[in-house]
Amino acid sequence: MSRKLRALVLMTVLAACGGGYDTPPSRLDNACTILDQRPEYKRAFRAAERRWGVPVHVQMATIYQESKFDSDARTPYRFTLGVIPMGRQSSAFGYSQALDGTWDEYKVSTGSRSARRDDIRDAADFIGWYMAESNQRLGISMHDTRNQYLAYHEGRTGYSRQSYQGKPWLVRVAGTVQERGETYRAQLRRCGAI
């Protein structure tokens, strides 16, 4: 086997092994910097926007809140007696912090059997799919970052039952997500990314 062919095979294998980065982008307060540092994020967000109609800034604000753009993000461990680890708080994982069951539903619904939560393309597509379903079932506008996030966090059934009303901390977080979305949208307009 020639050196070039071996190098190509090795690069292909290595590319298939990792969908995420070791570290999140720097300056998470600036949407343009994020997209400059990770051009594939922009392609992923644009593809999800074209497919599902969810604006880039809504996707970015959601991913910021869920994982701070960490492809390997996981929920903290639960402890018994303050020291004995008893597993993670939930099965949430990756950029989108999708739960196992919801991720499986997405893969079946879209036919994306090989989708991975630590791959930005799949995570953005998942968020687009989830929010498009929330739009269809609950009538939440694709541009309504706050309510899309509440439905994303609580699940559509929880949102329709207004479970968030008993969680003042979550209502505050949703307001913060909305503010971040507006900030990201303004930044993306200024740098010509949208």
Side-chain angles (χ1 to χ4, degrees), residues 13 20 28 34 40 44 62 71 89 98 121 143 171:
V13 169
L28 295 178
I34 293 168
E40 65 280 11
T62 301
S71 65
Q89 292 176 0
R121 292 168 305 217
H143 298 273
V171 173

Side-chain angles (χ1 to χ4, degrees), residues 17-182:
C17 290
Y21 285 88
D22 290 338
T23 60
S26 62
R27 298 216 33 227
L28 295 178
D29 61 324
N30 189 310
C32 297
T33 301
I34 293 168
L35 298 184
D36 285 345
Q37 290 177 8
R38 306 285 199 273
E40 65 280 11
Y41 283 17
K42 183 177 181 179
R43 289 189 295 272
F45 297 142
R46 292 298 232 176
E49 182 179 46
R50 282 190 304 274
R51 183 173 185 191
W52 303 108
V54 178
V56 171
H57 68 276
V58 175
Q59 297 172 56
M60 290 183 74
T62 301
I63 288 178
Y64 175 90
Q65 182 60 41
E66 291 298 294
S67 68
K68 306 289 188 285
F69 293 89
D70 180 356
S71 65
D72 195 37
R74 298 172 193 272
T75 58
Y77 282 103
R78 291 176 296 170
F79 292 91
T80 299
L81 302 174
V83 293
I84 303 168
M86 299 298 294
R88 298 212 180 258
Q89 292 176 0
S90 77
S91 64
F93 171 69
Y95 289 110
S96 63
Q97 288 294 285
L99 298 171
D100 289 350
T102 312
W103 189 258
D104 290 342
E105 180 186 344
Y106 158 74
K107 290 192 326 183
V108 168
S109 175
T110 61
S112 303
R113 292 188 311 225
S114 63
R116 296 186 352 244
R117 291 179 274 186
D118 63 351
D119 185 305
I120 192 64
R121 292 168 305 217
D122 296 330
D125 194 65
F126 170 81
I127 289 170
W129 166 81
Y130 195 91
M131 291 183 173
E133 288 285 315
S134 296
N135 171 260
Q136 188 176 46
R137 294 183 195 180
L138 302 171
I140 303 171
S141 167
M142 300 294 208
H143 298 273
D144 185 348
T145 310
R146 178 186 180 277
N147 285 303
Q148 281 287 3
Y149 182 76
L150 287 170
Y152 188 85
H153 187 277
E154 292 297 277
R156 290 183 207 95
T157 302
Y159 178 85
S160 65
R161 292 180 182 159
Q162 297 185 350
S163 61
Y164 55 88
Q165 295 290 5
K167 301 175 183 176
W169 63 269
L170 178 58
V171 173
R172 280 192 304 277
V173 167
T176 301
V177 174
Q178 179 178 353
E179 289 172 17
R180 180 167 300 280
E182 292 304 312

